[in-house]
Amino acid sequence: MRENARLQVRSFDVFDTVLTRRVGDPEVVIALLAHRVAPYDGPAGAFAAARLRCERDLTRRLGRHATLLEIHRAVAGALNEPVARAADWVRVEEDLERELSVALPGAVDRLERARKEADRVVFVSDTPHTAAFLRELLERAGLATPEDRVFTSSSGAHSKSRGGLFHAVAEELHEELGDADFVHVGDNRHGDVATARLEGWQGVWAPEGKLDRYERLLEQHAAETDHLTSWLAGASRLARLEARAAGVAKPIAEVSAGAFAPMLVGYALWVIGQARARGTKRLYYVARDGAVMLEAARHVVGALAPDLELRYLHGSRQPWIFGASATSDVILSRWVTPRRDFTPRTALARVHLTPEEAHALTGHPLTDPARQHAALGAEEREEIARLMQQDPLLGRVREQADVVAQQTLAYLQQEGFFDGVPSALVDAGWEGRTAAAFDHLVRRGGGEKVDHFVIGMLPSTADPRQEDGVRMTPWLFDQQRSPGSGLGDGRLFQAPNLLVEMLCAGTEGRTIGYEQVDGRMRPVLAASSNDPVLAWGLPQMQSVAVRVAELAAPHLAASAVHVDCRPAVAEGLRAFWTDPTREEALAWGAFPWEEEIWPPYSPVAQRLTTRDVLQRLRRGDRRIRRTNSWRAGSAEVSGQPWKAMLRLKAWQDEHGETLRKVPRRLRLEVAKRRC
């Protein structure tokens, strides 16, 4: 201790300051408790309600926090149960707290610093638990030493929230330490900061352990998901704080843990259910979107369906659709039709031709190498597609496509696709053209159609499930058959595919084909590593989401497979994608989006300029943004008037249906008044 100076005491709140639980809301502990108490035979909901109500009533009546034993005696009386059972219920609740309690990431280091800077560390908590039990929890988590003191509101006549507890602690320590300066750290602005200051202590707010906005959204769905989303909220908090301690930026950590991870876990649970229902024994997660899906699924499937075989499959639309084009005019026609923003070079590259080769064969102005990087207009896109579907280019295209088809089938054979094991593909999804092409190739190789489990489906001029018989089942949204549901409502949620592909981006380049090396087929990648997204921080971002799956998986009940968590997942994704904070828009808006155009990478949040907009208008494109760009993020990084225009368009999309109903509502009001 210091000589000739006042002693320094560092005080810490306990729950959500240095210690937290594996679930989100503390009230969920009571809900879990209600399913464990025995031999209570009444409804679990009634027990949980009584437990919460009795604590509130006793605390209000006693003017202090009631003890756990007092609370459970009151619960027994309220539920016509023998009072003797209260002691057993206390033990069950304490055992549950032991299971759920864990050190808040960063708390151990924070306490070590406090012990170096101060003469004494104490813990002060408003809780029905005894000081001895709280000390046990703190010691089990590596947070308390034998020299530390623990004070709880249930042990005396005072509390932090009602006042007096800080005075009582100071008086008790005065006998031991003499005069001292107290600094209290906690997550509650009222009980830990304001009250501490009123009683002569310094109060420091530490809100890191509180649930963030995504975790609070998950908690709102806890009841309807049998508390699955509460486990996810708790896992999100732990993973988010671990990531922050490791240096991951706050907006990246929060979105990855609270919005992205629930999608991965929910999707993995749904896939297990689909596989069981269809007798599927093997799941192939398709590159590159499937890489992080597979990482998360290994934890979830390992916990709930260890007999389900998981594999990674290199593939993409380039080899699959192009390979299928060798024997299908329909697939070829779809493949060679350029998308907006395509140039002659990117259009021809789809069929393994260069402008130089095409120009030598046709002499057509559109294939002139001098204009290979110029964006194609609407009529030019139709013309270059026509060129690729007629000789002299068609023969070359078919020849190249057949080579790709043979290589693809050899790779699929090697990966066990024709060994008779009931299998399914797991992928992001979208229009279904890649799935239809894959099925076409498999049938050519003598195999049967497989199931395609996908996150979602986008609008298309043709439904491949109807036209091509593709067994494609979407989970989160289906803009083809249910365009107004969930993320399928394009007015409320723009470009869900863009969001999912950004979150599930791959660390390696696209699969553009296959080759034989040393007797084995291996994928040919556009690049060995996806350097722009690696530099942005993709591995760190995705590791946060996978960590949530790892933390949550051991606590998932077998019934979780039958829980519909899509509303909770959709709400979190929508909160980020349509209403990002400025920090989120700047951090995520810099994500390098990969396209089949030049330059191949652009920030997903496009900074609009008058020049860009005019160039689009000149080539007949009436949209002011790139096809794959983030509207809310673009609004944040753009100047006026484009910022205002983007936000106005978003408002119109969200409220347009309501505005269209206004005249009818007025007529209804008039009709009512005539009654």
Side-chain angles (χ1 to χ4, degrees):
M1 295 185 181
R2 300 177 183 83
E3 296 181 1
N4 303 321
R6 290 172 65 89
L7 299 180
Q8 302 296 310
V9 177
R10 294 291 183 270
S11 169
F12 292 87
D13 171 51
V14 177
F15 288 107
D16 293 341
T17 299
V18 297
L19 195 71
T20 192
R21 300 178 178 95
R22 295 187 183 276
V23 291
D25 193 316
E27 290 192 1
V28 174
V29 178
I30 308 305
L32 297 174
L33 170 68
H35 290 280
R36 294 195 180 188
V37 291
Y40 172 71
D41 296 322
F47 183 94
R51 164 65 180 80
L52 293 170
R53 183 180 64 254
C54 289
E55 180 175 5
R56 289 193 299 266
D57 291 348
L58 281 172
T59 298
R60 182 171 57 252
R61 180 161 55 84
L62 297 174
R64 61 169 172 81
H65 265 77
T67 66
L68 206 56
L69 184 59
E70 290 172 332
I71 293 169
H72 280 294
R73 282 174 174 167
V75 172
L79 299 178
N80 292 320
E81 291 286 326
V83 175
R85 289 182 178 168
D88 292 331
W89 294 348
V90 168
R91 284 192 290 273
V92 175
E93 184 165 342
E94 288 180 342
D95 285 343
L96 185 58
E97 289 283 14
R98 292 185 182 99
E99 291 177 30
L100 297 179
S101 296
V102 62
L104 199 75
V108 171
D109 291 340
R110 187 171 204 165
L111 288 166
E112 287 182 357
R113 290 195 300 271
R115 292 188 179 96
K116 292 177 181 178
E117 297 169 356
D119 300 287
R120 181 64 60 87
V121 166
V122 300
F123 299 93
V124 182
S125 177
D126 274 355
T127 178
H129 293 295
T130 65
F133 179 69
L134 217 57
R135 170 178 287 281
E136 177 191 340
L137 293 182
L138 290 165
E139 288 179 347
R140 285 165 60 97
L143 296 169
T145 67
E147 294 77 22
D148 299 337
R149 297 285 300 277
V150 180
F151 301 88
T152 66
S153 57
S154 62
S155 302
H158 306 288
S159 70
K160 291 188 297 182
S161 57
R162 291 173 175 267
L165 183 56
F166 292 112
H167 277 313
V169 171
E171 288 178 4
E172 184 168 339
L173 290 177
H174 185 271
E175 298 179 5
E176 176 184 348
L177 303 177
D179 292 336
D181 292 326
F182 293 84
V183 178
H184 180 73
V185 180
D187 69 299
N188 189 293
R189 291 179 111 169
H190 170 77
D192 290 312
V193 180
T195 306
R197 290 173 180 175
L198 283 178
E199 297 184 28
W201 293 30
Q202 291 185 51
V204 178
W205 190 38
E208 297 85 5
K210 299 175 77 69
L211 299 180
D212 65 22
R213 69 165 177 154
Y214 301 107
E215 293 151 3
R216 291 194 299 272
L217 288 174
L218 288 168
E219 274 297 344
Q220 290 175 12
H221 294 268
E224 69 195 58
T225 61
D226 195 29
H227 303 105
L228 166 62
T229 54
S230 187
W231 286 106
L232 290 175
S236 170
R237 170 169 50 198
L238 292 173
R240 164 174 59 86
L241 292 174
E242 287 177 0
R244 294 289 292 122
V248 178
K250 179 173 178 283
I252 303 298
E254 289 184 350
V255 174
S256 300
F260 180 27
M263 182 188 80
L264 292 178
V265 174
Y267 186 41
L269 290 169
W270 176 81
V271 166
I272 292 173
Q274 291 293 312
R276 285 177 176 171
R278 298 162 192 265
T280 303
K281 303 300 181 183
R282 181 187 294 158
L283 296 173
Y284 289 92
Y285 284 75
V286 181
R288 293 177 290 171
D289 299 334
V292 68
M293 296 179 195
L294 176 57
E295 283 190 65
R298 289 196 192 282
H299 297 290
V300 179
V301 173
L304 299 179
D307 58 325
L308 196 55
E309 183 184 358
L310 306 181
R311 292 191 182 185
Y312 187 66
L313 188 71
H314 277 94
S316 74
R317 59 179 179 262
Q318 174 66 49
W320 292 358
I321 299 181
F322 184 42
S325 298
T327 51
S328 171
D329 292 337
V330 173
I331 294 176
L332 175 63
S333 176
R334 293 171 180 171
W335 183 238
V336 298
T337 301
R339 292 158 44 194
R340 290 184 177 91
D341 295 327
F342 266 34
T343 65
R345 173 167 286 278
T346 52
L348 291 165
R350 281 194 158 193
V351 294
H352 292 195
L353 288 173
T354 65
E356 292 80 4
E357 292 170 330
H359 195 64
L361 289 169
T362 67
H364 197 285
L366 277 180
T367 64
D368 188 341
R371 57 151 301 161
Q372 60 183 306
H373 295 306
L376 293 164
E379 292 182 359
E380 292 173 326
R381 291 197 296 270
E382 293 180 6
E383 177 64 13
I384 203 165
R386 184 185 63 79
L387 284 175
M388 288 185 280
Q389 295 177 81
Q390 66 182 30
D391 288 326
L393 294 187
L394 180 60
R396 289 286 298 276
V397 169
R398 294 285 198 199
E399 180 183 339
Q400 297 272 30
D402 191 63
V403 171
V404 171
Q406 297 288 354
Q407 293 169 334
T408 302
L409 288 171
Y411 174 73
L412 295 178
Q413 177 79 38
Q414 170 185 290
E415 297 304 309
F417 237 96
F418 302 104
D419 63 6
V421 176
S423 301
L425 264 60
V426 183
D427 201 357
W430 314 151
E431 296 180 13
R433 294 181 179 181
T434 304
F438 182 86
D439 284 359
H440 185 87
L441 283 171
V442 169
R443 288 197 302 272
R444 177 177 170 176
E448 299 293 331
K449 290 181 179 179
V450 298
D451 285 300
H452 299 262
F453 303 145
V454 299
I455 288 181
M457 294 195 70
L458 295 176
S460 176
T461 54
D463 185 344
R465 291 168 291 183
Q466 182 173 348
E467 290 200 356
D468 303 313
V470 175
R471 299 206 302 262
M472 195 169 184
T473 310
W475 169 60
L476 193 57
F477 61 92
D478 186 349
Q479 291 188 348
Q480 292 185 11
R481 297 185 177 180
S482 302
S485 61
L487 297 190
D489 192 338
R491 296 167 304 165
L492 301 180
F493 200 100
Q494 281 253 322
N497 59 307
L498 178 63
L499 170 60
V500 173
E501 288 191 42
M502 178 177 74
L503 296 172
C504 298
T507 57
E508 60 186 13
R510 291 180 293 112
T511 302
I512 59 176
Y514 308 93
E515 63 181 359
Q516 188 176 62
V517 178
D518 296 331
R520 285 188 60 80
M521 298 302 297
R522 72 176 188 183
V524 178
L525 306 179
S528 59
S529 62
N530 196 353
D531 292 337
V533 298
L534 295 178
W536 177 83
L538 182 77
Q540 294 81 3
M541 179 270 280
Q542 292 186 343
S543 68
V544 176
V546 173
R547 177 61 173 154
V548 174
E550 181 182 9
L551 290 167
H555 307 285
L556 297 177
S559 59
V561 172
H562 305 289
V563 170
D564 185 4
C565 59
R566 289 177 300 174
V569 170
E571 192 167 359
L573 292 174
R574 185 181 294 115
F576 163 60
W577 199 236
T578 64
D579 189 27
T581 65
R582 178 166 177 78
E583 277 186 305
E584 289 169 350
L586 294 177
W588 287 89
F591 182 88
W593 179 257
E594 184 179 3
E595 273 283 18
E596 293 180 71
I597 58 176
W598 187 264
Y601 290 91
S602 299
V604 71
Q606 179 186 1
R607 184 178 181 277
L608 292 177
T609 66
T610 302
R611 179 182 178 184
D612 291 337
V613 174
L614 290 177
Q615 285 180 341
R616 289 186 170 277
L617 290 174
R618 278 198 293 268
R619 63 174 185 260
D621 190 345
R622 299 180 61 84
R623 295 175 303 176
I624 63 175
R625 288 184 295 118
R626 288 195 321 268
T627 300
N628 289 317
S629 59
W630 177 21
R631 182 164 67 186
S634 298
E636 192 62 52
V637 301
S638 296
Q640 298 295 3
W642 312 114
K643 181 192 295 284
M645 290 180 65
L646 290 171
R647 288 179 172 171
L648 176 62
K649 185 63 170 66
W651 187 90
Q652 288 175 331
D653 286 347
E654 183 176 355
H655 299 94
E657 189 65 26
T658 301
L659 293 174
R660 283 189 289 273
K661 292 179 180 179
V662 168
R664 174 174 169 77
R665 290 180 179 176
L666 289 175
R667 293 197 303 273
L668 287 172
E669 285 299 321
V670 172
K672 287 178 186 178
R673 294 178 184 274
R674 291 176 181 172
C675 296

